[in-house]
Amino acid sequence: MKRIVALILLLSIFLTSCQVKEPLRSYSEAIERTEAVDQGQSFISIEVENTYREGKEIDFGDQLQFQIYSQYDFTDSKNEQLETHSYIDVGDLGMDFSFYLKGNDIFIKLPFDENYLIIHDNTMNQEVATMQDEEIFTIIFQPFMEKWLEVLQEENVVRGEKTIMTTEDGDVKATKYTIQLNEEQLQTLVTVLSSILKSNSELILSTVNNYAEFVLTEEEFIQLIDDLKSELLKSDMSITAMSYINADGFVIDTSIEYTVLYENAEMPLKSQVYTIRMEQWDIYNEQDFNFPELTDDNSLSMDEFQKETKCFIEER
């Protein structure tokens, strides 16, 4: 979970950097300070709004939504605690699930089920840590980050102002930074990102194909990236981002809005709006967790879960 938070926080530094070194240094310090937080609460929301051309609507839905609330305490490495509640809405299908970590045990509240999946000895956590290896970040995201900073330094586009904002901790003094990228800068970033993705297709596919319902070949993946790049470069794009740093030097609120208007009349999609919001509060305060009471009647082992899943698939 901390890696997800850190990634979005890192994104905020690219969206709020400028030619002047002092603001960039301040942001770097705030990102590092916030990433090191091992006790607190956070909320992340990602929404995608789709607008279709008349007569070309599809069943995928006008809006996609993902939300995750987290409460965590990693101050004791031998007794790490985490409680998350997530909600996913795709079209007319909504699912919610909860994830708990308590020491060496993990339990997951499954969607459409009253039972909890129990995993002892933290074996799943080790697998998740492996999937989130530094390699992907270093190879794919780091070059893009460097180019992003380079693009933003072409022109001073950041605006900063002192403000008072309302948070879960009450009204706090903060510095608000806003940035808007022009279309040329966005096109440069699209080109760079597509190049990075294609040059690392083997690494990406080795991860994606393990979890996707269908398998992409390298040739299909590269063609997909090329097609997407072509459509984006022909489209009108805009991005606006805001980030707030409190008086203690922590990033407590980040919001990003990305809009794309597709010019290709053959595409079902007319436009898309991506909105990302992240909040963090209760930093370094003692946490009060609400772990569920587990019984034999509401718990499933991994073996029992796999058997139930197999039976469900066979019935379908």
Side-chain angles (χ1 to χ4, degrees):
M1 178 60 211
K2 285 188 69 180
R3 289 179 180 269
I4 297 176
V5 174
L7 181 58
I8 294 182
L9 287 175
L10 283 169
L11 183 57
S12 72
I13 191 174
F14 313 134
L15 293 171
T16 48
S17 304
C18 67
Q19 191 173 359
V20 182
K21 294 183 178 180
E22 189 57 39
L24 180 56
R25 186 180 299 116
S26 298
Y27 270 104
S28 299
E29 293 173 353
I31 295 298
E32 292 176 4
R33 187 178 295 111
T34 308
E35 185 181 352
V37 172
D38 53 13
Q39 195 176 38
Q41 300 183 53
S42 66
F43 176 77
I44 299 174
S45 173
I46 302 174
E47 295 183 5
V48 181
E49 292 188 11
N50 300 316
T51 302
Y52 298 95
R53 288 183 168 81
E54 187 175 354
K56 295 187 177 182
E57 295 84 356
I58 59 177
D59 295 332
F60 194 61
D62 297 335
Q63 188 176 57
L64 292 76
Q65 187 178 54
F66 171 72
Q67 296 178 341
I68 179 168
Y69 159 80
S70 299
Q71 185 177 11
Y72 54 93
D73 186 342
F74 302 132
T75 54
D76 183 354
S77 60
K78 295 182 179 180
N79 187 34
E80 295 183 334
Q81 298 182 85
L82 170 67
E83 177 182 348
T84 72
H85 302 283
S86 305
Y87 176 74
I88 300 175
D89 185 359
V90 180
D92 296 326
L93 178 62
M95 295 184 294
D96 52 37
F97 54 94
S98 299
F99 179 97
Y100 304 88
L101 168 65
K102 189 176 183 182
N104 289 324
D105 294 331
I106 289 176
F107 25 107
I108 304 170
K109 178 66 172 61
L110 304 169
F112 312 119
D113 198 323
E114 294 301 319
N115 294 319
Y116 292 88
L117 171 62
I118 310 300
I119 303 172
H120 297 292
D121 299 326
N122 211 355
T123 54
M124 175 176 278
N125 197 41
Q126 294 172 8
E127 293 176 5
V128 171
T130 301
M131 288 190 302
Q132 296 175 328
D133 192 83
E134 297 283 340
E135 182 182 16
I136 292 180
F137 174 83
T138 302
I139 294 179
I140 297 178
F141 291 105
Q142 190 65 39
F144 180 71
M145 294 172 185
E146 293 173 358
K147 185 60 180 180
W148 194 305
L149 289 175
E150 180 184 324
V151 169
L152 294 182
Q153 289 172 359
E154 294 175 359
E155 182 180 0
N156 187 357
V157 294
V158 72
R159 298 190 303 272
E161 59 179 307
K162 300 294 184 181
T163 186
I164 301 292
M165 66 177 301
T166 301
T167 69
E168 295 286 346
D169 295 324
D171 291 342
V172 298
K173 294 181 179 179
T175 303
K176 171 186 173 183
Y177 291 87
T178 306
I179 189 173
Q180 288 183 304
L181 276 69
N182 61 42
E183 190 166 349
E184 182 180 353
Q185 291 170 322
L186 287 171
Q187 289 179 344
T188 298
L189 294 172
V190 167
T191 301
V192 170
L193 181 57
S194 66
S195 176
I196 294 172
L197 293 175
K198 289 197 298 182
S199 62
N200 293 281
S201 57
E202 185 177 349
L203 172 63
I204 297 171
L205 288 174
S206 66
T207 301
V208 172
N209 285 339
N210 285 333
Y211 304 98
E213 295 182 359
F214 55 88
V215 176
L216 284 175
T217 66
E218 187 170 4
E219 183 179 354
E220 290 171 333
F221 176 76
I222 290 176
Q223 186 61 53
L224 178 64
I225 297 300
D226 283 339
D227 291 344
L228 181 58
K229 171 189 171 183
S230 177
E231 292 299 333
L232 288 175
L233 292 181
K234 291 185 295 186
S235 304
D236 292 330
M237 298 178 289
S238 65
I239 190 167
T240 301
M242 288 186 294
S243 192
Y244 294 84
I245 296 178
N246 67 7
D248 295 322
F250 295 106
V251 180
I252 56 174
D253 193 298
T254 296
S255 62
I256 304 167
E257 182 173 285
Y258 169 68
T259 302
V260 54
L261 305 177
Y262 296 102
E263 298 292 336
N264 187 351
E266 298 300 318
M267 286 188 64
L269 276 171
K270 184 177 180 180
S271 67
Q272 286 185 300
V273 178
Y274 296 80
T275 305
I276 301 174
R277 178 76 183 274
M278 193 203 76
E279 301 172 73
Q280 187 147 315
W281 68 96
D282 213 19
I283 298 174
Y284 287 127
N285 289 334
E286 185 175 349
Q287 301 299 306
D288 183 16
F289 294 92
N290 185 26
F291 293 116
E293 182 177 347
L294 302 176
T295 66
D296 291 338
D297 294 331
N298 69 1
S299 302
L300 289 175
S301 67
M302 180 60 78
D303 289 340
E304 291 171 329
F305 172 72
Q306 290 174 339
K307 289 179 182 178
E308 284 199 4
T309 304
K310 183 178 180 181
C311 291
F312 175 76
I313 294 174
E314 290 176 348
E315 289 176 358
R316 291 175 64 93

